[in-house]
Amino acid sequence: MIGLSIGYALARSGVACVILDRTELGREASWAGAGMLPPRSEPSPGPVQPSVALRAWSARLYPEWSAALLSETGIDNGYRRTGGVDVAWTEAEEHALRTTAGRWRVEGIAFERLSPGDFGRVEPALNPDLRVVYYLPDRAQVRNPRHLRALAAAFASRGGSIRPSCAVNGFVARGDRVVAVQSEAGAFQADHVIVAAGAWSGRLLDGLGVRAPTPPLKGQIVLLRGDRPLLRRIVEQGKHYLVPRDDGRILVGATEEDAGFHVLPTAEPLRALTDAAIRLCPVLSEARVEATWAGLRPGSFDTRPYIGFAPGYRNLIVAAGHKRAGLQLSPATAELAADLVLGRDPRVDLAHFRIDREPATGEDVFRS
Ligand code: GLY
């Protein structure tokens, strides 16, 4: 998703790109996610933390990109401002939500804390025994497989070239420049090379002496479907979420597991996800299980992605390590990578995302 979004941003500026993917295009984390997007925000005037600026800009770009993709390709990517509820069962979860709500206020995100007895006004399926429910009318979603399809079609129609099943196996560097990318299909020469290979990025960069670990963080999802619409809003409770689609499907996510590159679903985590979903919305007990799958989110050495030139190279850009937030941050990450390729001043301070930064501690701005 990140690489394809960069390709689209560059193609819109008239830059010719080739995208290499080791498997079918976008079939790893990009495809696996549930498509949750954060609410639009209008941070107050004054200095804004770069992570907040990146998230807010991306949230603003989504409706613009979605409209442009629809008019360019005829593909509706499923961007919808369905609204969401963030809920708590325990005192600790309530405390965490209250802290988050303080940030929503500062960032200009619309929200309402619902009174007990009033949950059903916003989401009739919610368990009335929940301790706390916050309503976020601007929470949105996109159908990531459709967004991938729309990006690929728009990229190709602007002359971009996509090479699926074409694994990169090395680079040719001369001094401070990468002059070619070596792949199973031969070498590709380029003025700029961008590594946006998700959890596989760290290994690729190792070969160039660039240390940017992207440890995989496995996430499992269960896809439910009802015979009637069972849920209206996106529901979030800590790391659990329920994302209802227009067609009655509901994605239930997600685990966070350190399982190396193993990507098959497993029984116990799926049972825990399903139990948590039914507790949040008891009506889900009548839904059918349509599918299960897992994906590998790319981690970084802290809580932030890497976006910028790789240390020691003038034309090698890294855009990876977005962990749970790759989909939501993809448009703004793409615009920033395009800024670097085109020699423009990046529109967000990239010092914050440098690969050779001091690891960040205590930040939690990319929750869903
Ligand atoms: N973006 C949600 C997840 O990674 O599970």
Side-chain angles (χ1 to χ4, degrees):
M1 192 67 85
I2 302 280
L4 194 49
S5 302
I6 295 172
Y8 176 60
L10 285 171
R12 285 173 115 187
S13 298
V15 178
C17 307
V18 181
I19 296 177
L20 310 180
D21 198 322
R22 53 183 277 282
T23 59
E24 202 184 316
L25 189 75
R27 280 303 288 199
E28 299 288 352
S30 310
W31 188 91
M36 257 190 309
L37 302 175
R40 271 181 84 95
S41 60
E42 298 296 340
S44 16
V48 177
Q49 198 207 1
S51 295
V52 172
L54 185 71
R55 192 189 55 204
W57 186 23
S58 232
R60 285 196 303 275
L61 284 173
Y62 252 106
E64 283 173 32
W65 276 40
S66 301
L69 289 169
L70 180 62
S71 87
E72 284 177 44
T73 68
I75 300 173
D76 172 8
N77 67 5
Y79 175 83
R80 303 280 185 273
R81 204 174 61 94
T82 27
V85 286
D86 279 27
V87 307
W89 282 116
T90 64
E91 196 178 339
E93 286 175 354
E94 176 179 359
H95 180 75
L97 265 185
R98 216 178 306 119
T99 308
T100 306
R103 282 210 304 265
W104 291 334
R105 193 167 291 114
V106 173
E107 292 178 31
I109 292 174
F111 72 93
E112 179 191 356
R113 183 171 167 154
L114 302 180
S115 317
D118 194 27
F119 304 164
R121 170 171 61 90
V122 169
E123 178 46 75
L126 279 181
N127 189 327
D129 296 336
L130 276 157
R131 184 181 179 100
V132 176
V133 175
Y134 284 87
Y135 171 42
L136 293 115
D138 293 329
R139 210 183 259 301
Q141 62 168 290
V142 67
R143 292 185 79 152
N144 29 320
R146 292 185 189 180
H147 188 52
L148 284 165
R149 267 211 319 278
L151 284 170
F155 175 69
S157 76
R158 287 172 181 270
S161 165
I162 299 175
R163 305 290 299 251
S165 305
C166 184
V168 170
N169 45 35
F171 300 91
V172 182
R174 204 162 292 144
D176 60 4
R177 294 183 72 80
V178 176
V179 293
V181 177
Q182 290 167 320
S183 80
E184 289 166 352
F188 292 84
Q189 290 176 351
D191 292 332
H192 286 86
V193 171
I194 302 172
V195 175
W200 288 263
S201 303
R203 288 182 181 175
L204 286 175
L205 291 163
D206 271 348
L208 286 164
V210 175
R211 205 196 143 269
T214 49
L217 184 65
K218 181 176 177 181
Q220 307 203 35
I221 288 209
V222 183
L223 179 64
L224 302 180
R225 188 169 205 172
D227 289 329
R228 58 190 178 97
L230 297 175
L231 191 66
R232 280 165 38 189
R233 312 288 187 188
I234 296 164
V235 180
E236 272 202 69
Q237 179 238 339
K239 295 184 192 311
H240 290 131
Y241 49 78
L242 313 174
V243 183
R245 301 295 198 214
D246 289 348
D247 58 9
R249 292 187 164 100
I250 297 159
L251 290 100
V252 177
T255 60
E256 284 191 357
E257 300 161 67
D258 178 4
F261 282 84
H262 294 283
V263 82
L264 288 179
T266 48
E268 174 52 40
L270 292 176
R271 182 173 64 183
L273 285 175
T274 316
D275 283 350
I278 293 171
R279 187 166 175 237
L280 285 167
C281 299
V283 70
L284 294 183
S285 60
E286 69 182 66
R288 292 191 303 282
V289 175
E290 215 174 60
T292 62
W293 63 82
L296 301 174
R297 312 170 181 99
S300 68
F301 58 53
D302 57 17
T303 50
R304 298 179 199 151
Y306 311 116
I307 308 172
F309 283 110
Y313 293 94
R314 279 186 351 184
N315 70 334
L316 175 66
I317 294 164
V318 180
H322 293 66
K323 210 171 278 174
R324 291 178 72 109
L327 182 76
Q328 63 163 278
L329 299 179
S330 54
T333 300
E335 296 287 357
L336 289 169
D339 287 346
L340 296 179
V341 170
L342 294 166
R344 298 188 297 229
D345 279 342
R347 285 164 278 174
V348 170
D349 178 10
L350 287 183
H352 203 70
F353 304 108
R354 289 171 66 103
I355 293 153
D356 54 358
R357 65 184 176 249
E358 282 298 312
T361 48
E363 253 184 30
D364 181 27
V365 295
F366 302 132
R367 250 189 78 229
S368 53

